[in-house]
Amino acid sequence: MMEFRPHEPSDASAIEGLFISVFTRSEGEKEGVLIGNLANDLISSTDSQDLYGFVAVDRKQIVGAIFFSRLTFEKRDIDVFILAPVAVHSDHQGMGIGQALITHGLQEMQKSGVRFVTTYGDPTFYSKVGFQPLSQDVIAAPLELSQPEGWLGQSLTDDSIEAVPGLCSCVQALDNPAYW
């Protein structure tokens, strides 16, 4: 039976290995190492108030992992997080685990009072869990986007996403142009 739960410090090695495996298989070894390092850096260097991580566990094996990290704005104090990275073990893809894990994470973020969540990825996949194209005039990405059509967002309240003026910054682990 699949269990969704917050990540624990003892999960770090398994989570890093998951990201390396999944991204190596889909994007090549260089990308696998890059995203594995991102997951490790998020876990090891991000303040707990700025990071939420969730895992999907099947028979005591972590088969999926996601992270939400805080975005900070120069002109406004508002709870906005970015969903990145996301991985589901290659042998478990296509079973709805990623969507279920993201939905679980979004529900937990909503319970924590987060108003908006952004992500940067495949609009076709993320639209299945409620993300919509997001204009950088509404919420600016923290770094230049190589594929602006992948900038997506969703409100976790009954309100639509409101414009958040000013520059945006992300947590240190994600502050690398290679991810954008």
Side-chain angles (χ1 to χ4, degrees):
M1 184 167 138
M2 192 68 55
E3 171 194 7
F4 300 120
R5 64 167 173 78
H7 84 282
E8 300 168 357
S10 61
D11 297 330
S13 179
I15 291 171
E16 180 180 14
L18 172 70
F19 279 100
I20 290 171
S21 170
V22 169
F23 281 86
T24 294
R25 187 168 185 175
S26 67
E27 308 291 329
E29 184 177 357
K30 183 178 178 185
E31 189 75 4
V33 170
L34 180 72
I35 304 303
N37 286 339
L38 170 59
N40 185 45
D41 288 348
L42 283 167
I43 293 168
S44 65
S45 70
T46 305
D47 190 309
S48 62
Q49 70 182 10
D50 295 332
L51 182 70
Y52 292 85
F54 301 95
V55 294
V57 180
D58 183 27
R59 292 184 286 261
K60 298 184 181 181
Q61 178 189 3
I62 293 176
V63 298
I66 61 174
F67 290 97
F68 296 88
S69 57
R70 186 178 303 278
L71 295 177
T72 306
F73 299 87
E74 69 175 346
K75 296 184 178 179
R76 187 146 175 226
D77 185 22
I78 185 170
D79 273 335
V80 179
F81 280 72
I82 183 168
L83 168 60
V86 173
V88 173
H89 191 281
S90 301
D91 294 343
H92 290 79
Q93 291 179 3
M95 300 177 188
I97 295 168
Q99 291 177 41
L101 181 58
I102 292 169
T103 298
H104 172 81
L106 291 170
Q107 291 169 345
E108 293 300 309
M109 299 301 291
Q110 184 179 35
K111 289 178 193 174
S112 296
V114 173
R115 299 199 46 207
F116 309 123
V117 175
T118 65
T119 195
Y120 181 49
D122 178 6
T124 303
F125 174 76
Y126 287 104
S127 68
K128 295 175 184 177
V129 288
F131 285 90
Q132 311 252 331
L134 183 60
S135 167
Q136 290 202 66
D137 294 334
V138 176
I139 295 180
L143 295 164
E144 185 176 345
L145 301 174
S146 60
Q147 298 180 5
E149 67 279 2
W151 188 235
L152 309 167
Q154 96 172 253
S155 174
L156 299 182
T157 69
D158 291 335
D159 301 327
S160 60
I161 294 177
E162 61 191 63
V164 182
L167 296 176
C168 171
S169 60
C170 56
V171 297
Q172 183 178 353
L174 198 53
D175 192 18
N176 178 340
Y179 302 132
W180 301 88

